[in-house]
């Protein structure tokens, strides 16, 4: 085998499942994380994130000794960087975690090493990574300097897995492998082919970086289009989900679903990297971001309008997660809506989120806001606000819904 040891930097939603999959395919994996609790949890065979079936896999590879979590990086044949790339206040990308990763990898590099960046990154970051590594190791030749004669291979291979389906998509999705040189990409393809059932598509690093950003910008723009259609349908008093379902019967139309906004850590972030890189050109992408970011406020306004006719409105808020059937509350439009309703004292808020046992910190200090179960909340409510289409909400009694004011932001009960 070409790569017997792999070090993965960052044990989050991408790094941990990637480590686990590599380990199940006979590779000795050491995962590094700055958070000591994460390291301790993984070494006990447990996980700190929620992802179906992942804990069983991690527990197996930790028990067999194939995966170890550590706080300080160790030497390996290949290094995979899977750290966050957030944006700053002005939407400029923050690649400082990648720079830190480069600094920690550099002392461990030897001739033939492979360094892969998987974090979603602005165009040009992989070449920058190569320069950061070169700065620390003048004894080695890097691909931005020496092209095919380089001692170290540097590659961009974006993660593309959907939270909630990570283990399946890691193996079955195709991968784009962007090498600074072709040889870099070919070396990385050998590593990915140890577990991949999808195909590897080889290109240069800048094309791969832009392809990843384009995927998420495409989804964001499509959702913004759906949200705009929903606003137009409102003007005509037409159900937008019916419109979209029918339009999608056309063989070349595939409109996504309107909703309360776009959450998560990818689609609401990554398009800004394109806007920041080419502000004059990225007009549609910027507008799509603005439309989707404005959705939560639109929902709050609609709820306040409907609540105005009750003297002491009780509002059942169904769902807090950023999307259906997961427990991830980060960057969730539902959280933003519930928080604004509470801050603006819209009424008594009965929040139902089947995936949590207690309210998150940011919602705890509002006396008129409590976590409730589904039937209690729906019974007591004047207004039922559906924010997330969790499967638990599908079976709500239709007769009950007829008696209440219903605001269904997902078209779940149409
Ligand atoms: N949403 C809608 N309408 C839709 C689909 C989604 O409002 O029709 C909302 C969701 O409710 C959620 C947000 O968009 O709030 C994002 O959810 P998502 O399921 O579209 O995507 P993520 O953020 O969970 O994962 C995306 C995926 N990218 C694409 O599908 C192009 C995933 O494959 C990427 O790996 C991931 O981003 C990432 O890490 O970049």
């Amino acid at each position: 085998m070409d790569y017997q040891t792999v070090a993965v930097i960052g044990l989050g939603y991408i790094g941990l499942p990637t480590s686990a999959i590599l380990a199940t395919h006979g590779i000795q994996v050491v995962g590094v994380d700055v958070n000591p609790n994460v390291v301790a949890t993984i070494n006990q065979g447990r996980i700190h994130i929620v992802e179906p079936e992942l804990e069983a896999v991690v527990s197996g590879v930790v028990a067999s000794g194939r995966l170890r979590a550590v706080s300080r990086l160790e030497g390996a044949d290949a290094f995979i960087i899977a750290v966050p790339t957030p944006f700053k206040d002005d939407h400029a990308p923050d690649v400082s975690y990648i720079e830190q990763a480069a600094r920690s990898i550099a002392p461990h590099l030897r001739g033939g090493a492979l360094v892969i960046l998987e974090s979603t990154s602005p165009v040009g970051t992989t070449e920058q990574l190569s320069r950061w590594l070169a700065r620390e190791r003048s004894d080695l030749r890097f691909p931005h300097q020496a092209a095919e004669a380089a001692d170290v291979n540097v590659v961009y291979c974006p993660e593309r897995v959907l939270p909630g389906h990570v283990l399946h998509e890691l193996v079955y999705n195709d991968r784009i492998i962007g090498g600074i040189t072709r040889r870099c990409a070919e070396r990385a393809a050998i590593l990915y082919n140890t577990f991949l059932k999808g195909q590897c598509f080889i290109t240069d690093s800048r094309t791969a970086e832009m392809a990843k950003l384009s995927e998420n910008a495409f989804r964001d723009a499509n959702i913004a289009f759906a949200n705009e259609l929903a606003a137009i349908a409102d003007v005509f008093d037409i159900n937008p989900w019916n419109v979209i379902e029918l339009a999608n019967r056309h063989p070349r139309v595939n409109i996504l679903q309107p909703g309360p906004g776009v959450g998560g850590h990818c689609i609401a972030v990554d398009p800004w990297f394109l806007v920041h890189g080419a502000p004059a050109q990225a007009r549609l992408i910027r507008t799509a971001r603005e439309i989707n970011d404005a959705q939560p406020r639109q929902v709050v306004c609609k709820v306040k309008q409907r609540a105005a006719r009750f003297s002491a409105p009780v509002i059942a808020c169904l769902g807090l997660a950023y999307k259906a059937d997961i427990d991830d509350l980060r960057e969730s439009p539902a959280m933003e809506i519930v928080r604004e309703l509470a801050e603006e004292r819209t009424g008594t808020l009965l929040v139902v989120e089947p995936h949590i046992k207690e309210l998150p910190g940011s919602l705890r200090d509002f006396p008129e806001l409590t976590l409730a179960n589904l039937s209690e909340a729906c019974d007591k409510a004047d207004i039922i606000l559906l924010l997330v289409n969790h499967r638990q909400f599908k079976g709500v009694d239709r007769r009950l819904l007829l008696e209440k004011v219903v605001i269904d932001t997902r078209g779940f009960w149409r």
Side-chain angles (χ1 to χ4, degrees):
M1 189 191 299
D2 274 73
Y3 295 101
Q4 288 173 358
T5 56
V6 172
V8 177
I9 297 98
L11 291 173
Y13 280 84
I14 300 303
L16 181 55
T18 303
S19 301
I21 287 283
L22 285 166
T24 57
H25 286 77
I27 291 172
Q28 199 63 42
V29 183
V30 58
V32 193
D33 203 281
V34 288
N35 183 336
N37 296 329
V38 168
V39 170
T41 304
I42 294 168
N43 284 332
Q44 288 159 14
R46 296 186 297 116
I47 63 174
H48 61 291
I49 54 175
V50 172
E51 182 57 42
E53 292 156 44
L54 181 60
E55 189 155 76
V57 182
V58 168
S59 144
V61 288
V62 168
S64 70
R66 286 262 176 231
L67 172 63
R68 267 181 317 121
V70 296
S71 297
R72 284 181 74 85
L73 185 60
E74 299 173 7
D77 301 328
F79 300 85
I80 297 179
I81 303 172
V83 295
T85 42
F87 60 63
K88 303 176 195 163
D89 287 345
D90 60 351
H91 295 132
D94 173 2
V95 293
S96 58
Y97 296 107
I98 300 176
E99 186 175 4
Q100 281 168 31
R103 228 178 272 129
S104 71
I105 292 168
H108 299 287
L109 290 176
R110 46 185 184 242
L114 171 64
V115 181
I116 300 171
L117 177 62
E118 286 207 9
S119 313
T120 305
S121 302
V123 174
T125 309
T126 310
E127 289 165 348
Q128 179 62 50
L129 168 63
S130 188
R131 288 194 288 274
W132 280 325
L133 294 168
R135 192 177 62 190
E136 310 280 325
R137 289 298 298 270
S138 52
D139 56 321
L140 292 169
R141 286 168 302 169
F142 288 83
H144 71 280
Q145 307 161 318
E148 298 293 10
D151 300 309
V152 175
N153 301 295
V154 184
V155 172
Y156 184 61
C157 180
E159 61 85 8
R160 305 166 105 185
V161 290
L162 192 69
H165 301 265
V166 167
L167 283 182
H168 176 86
E169 292 207 351
L170 252 183
V171 175
Y172 288 93
N173 286 3
D174 293 336
R175 297 296 294 240
I176 303 171
I177 305 195
I180 293 185
T181 67
R182 185 161 180 96
R183 192 168 74 103
C184 292
E186 284 167 357
R187 299 295 300 160
I190 293 172
L191 178 62
Y192 284 101
N193 278 326
T194 55
F195 66 86
L196 201 65
K197 296 211 164 69
Q199 268 178 274
C200 288
F201 289 87
I202 285 180
T203 183
D204 62 90
S205 61
R206 293 167 69 86
T207 304
E209 287 159 347
M210 184 162 167
K212 166 67 193 183
L213 298 174
S214 306
E215 291 164 12
N216 281 355
F218 168 77
R219 198 157 166 86
D220 198 42
N222 194 334
I223 297 168
F225 179 68
N227 283 331
E228 187 163 293
L229 288 180
I232 295 168
D234 233 17
V235 172
F236 298 129
D237 199 20
I238 295 173
N239 182 318
W241 289 279
N242 290 346
V243 170
I244 289 170
E245 187 178 25
L246 292 171
N248 282 347
R249 301 302 299 175
H250 185 287
R252 285 175 296 283
V253 174
N254 185 13
I255 306 166
L256 288 170
Q257 300 298 304
V262 168
H265 346 288
C266 310
I267 295 193
V269 176
D270 307 346
W272 287 120
F273 294 1
L274 290 172
V275 174
H276 186 263
Q281 290 74 17
R283 293 177 300 156
L284 177 67
I285 295 172
R286 177 201 296 272
T287 304
R289 269 293 62 250
E290 287 166 354
I291 288 176
N292 289 337
D293 272 355
Q295 282 302 110
R297 190 64 216 165
Q298 308 267 345
V299 175
V300 170
C301 291
K302 194 179 258 185
V303 176
K304 289 179 79 170
Q305 221 173 37
R306 303 282 173 86
R309 71 173 158 101
F310 297 96
S311 56
V314 177
I315 306 165
C317 305
L318 307 192
L320 285 178
Y322 89 87
K323 64 178 185 177
D325 302 325
I326 60 167
D327 77 333
D328 196 341
L329 308 186
R330 293 173 304 162
E331 319 297 335
S332 165
M335 284 281 294
E336 191 177 333
I337 291 163
V338 170
R339 204 191 57 247
E340 285 185 22
L341 289 173
E343 279 167 2
E344 294 170 30
R345 310 210 147 193
T346 316
T348 301
L349 302 177
L350 302 175
V351 175
V352 184
E353 176 44 75
H355 298 93
I356 60 171
K357 292 196 176 63
E358 54 181 31
L359 283 171
S362 60
L363 296 183
R364 258 179 232 155
D365 292 336
F366 299 102
E368 63 282 13
L369 188 162
T370 47
L371 197 60
N373 71 43
L374 181 61
S375 59
E376 176 202 354
C378 291
D379 276 341
K380 289 188 181 160
D382 303 304
I383 299 174
I384 300 181
L385 170 63
L386 182 110
L387 293 168
V388 187
N389 42 339
H390 287 318
R391 65 168 75 92
Q392 289 89 339
F393 301 153
K394 192 70 189 174
V396 168
D397 186 349
R398 296 294 162 122
R399 279 165 309 181
L400 190 70
L401 294 180
L402 290 173
E403 294 163 16
K404 314 273 178 174
V405 174
V406 174
I407 303 173
D408 175 0
T409 67
R410 301 275 184 177
F412 201 41
W413 295 322
R414 72 197 162 90

